[in-house]
Amino acid sequence: MQRHKNRDIANSDFEKAALAGIIKYGDKVFYDIAALLKSDEFFFPENQILFGILTGLVGENVKNIDTVSILSKIKQLDKTLLDQYQYTDYLKELGQIVLFEENAVNFAKKVLKLGIARRLITQLNSSIEGLYNTTGDESVLDIVNSV
């Protein structure tokens, strides 16, 4: 059996599409996406940070989310992030994604499903590790409950 890493259960294109949808359509799609996702559903750190920034901007009632407002928020958070994740270029890339409004939510649903799969993998791997510590002195119920 081949072991996979959680990074194998991620899709940067899905994450980018969900974020691009928020940037392009603003609160028209944000609330639907935010009902599905929290920052930690995104696998890639730059997307986790960007989703947090977008959440903050929508929360401040910023009607037109643009590159300048996003970069300004990132600078307020931590100026080193701009270079670390090359956000200026990254936002240009997101701006070039052609995306219909309804598809942004569909991509967010895919991000959610991949996040659930990663969490389940982590939980199951932890259970497997615990089962390797079985000594035979446990009751069957204790073994089953350890999973």
Side-chain angles (χ1 to χ4, degrees):
M1 178 171 78
Q2 183 181 1
R3 284 224 161 168
H4 297 278
K5 303 272 187 227
N6 271 351
R7 65 179 153 70
D8 295 329
I9 311 295
N11 186 304
S12 64
D13 291 334
F14 294 167
E15 293 186 11
K16 288 176 186 177
L19 294 168
I22 295 169
I23 294 168
K24 184 172 184 176
Y25 298 108
D27 61 4
K28 289 186 207 173
V29 299
F30 173 78
Y31 293 107
D32 290 334
I33 291 174
L36 297 168
L37 301 177
K38 302 295 178 245
S39 291
D40 63 356
E41 297 293 347
F42 290 89
F43 177 78
F44 300 96
E46 62 270 29
N47 294 337
Q48 293 174 351
I49 294 165
L50 185 54
F51 184 74
I53 295 291
L54 294 171
T55 300
L57 289 169
V58 171
E60 294 171 9
N61 293 319
V62 173
K63 295 298 177 198
N64 297 314
I65 298 174
D66 57 20
T67 301
V68 173
S69 58
I70 295 169
L71 292 174
S72 175
K73 278 290 182 190
I74 293 170
K75 284 179 189 175
Q76 288 175 12
L77 182 64
D78 183 347
K79 284 165 89 171
T80 63
L81 295 173
L82 287 175
D83 290 331
Q84 182 178 354
Y85 295 112
Q86 302 175 340
Y87 274 116
T88 302
D89 293 336
Y90 192 58
L91 291 171
K92 286 178 190 173
E93 179 185 343
L94 292 180
Q96 294 174 352
I97 294 174
V98 177
L99 182 72
F100 293 109
E101 187 176 329
E102 60 274 8
N103 287 341
V105 176
N106 291 333
F107 283 113
K109 289 176 183 176
K110 292 179 181 194
V111 171
L112 173 66
K113 292 173 190 175
L114 292 173
I116 291 169
R118 286 192 303 274
R119 278 195 308 280
L120 286 172
I121 289 167
T122 299
Q123 291 170 353
L124 291 171
N125 282 335
S126 176
S127 294
I128 290 168
E129 290 301 318
L131 289 172
Y132 281 119
N133 294 323
T134 302
T135 63
D137 293 328
E138 303 84 359
S139 70
V140 171
L141 185 59
D142 286 340
I143 295 170
V144 171
N145 285 336
S146 74
V147 176

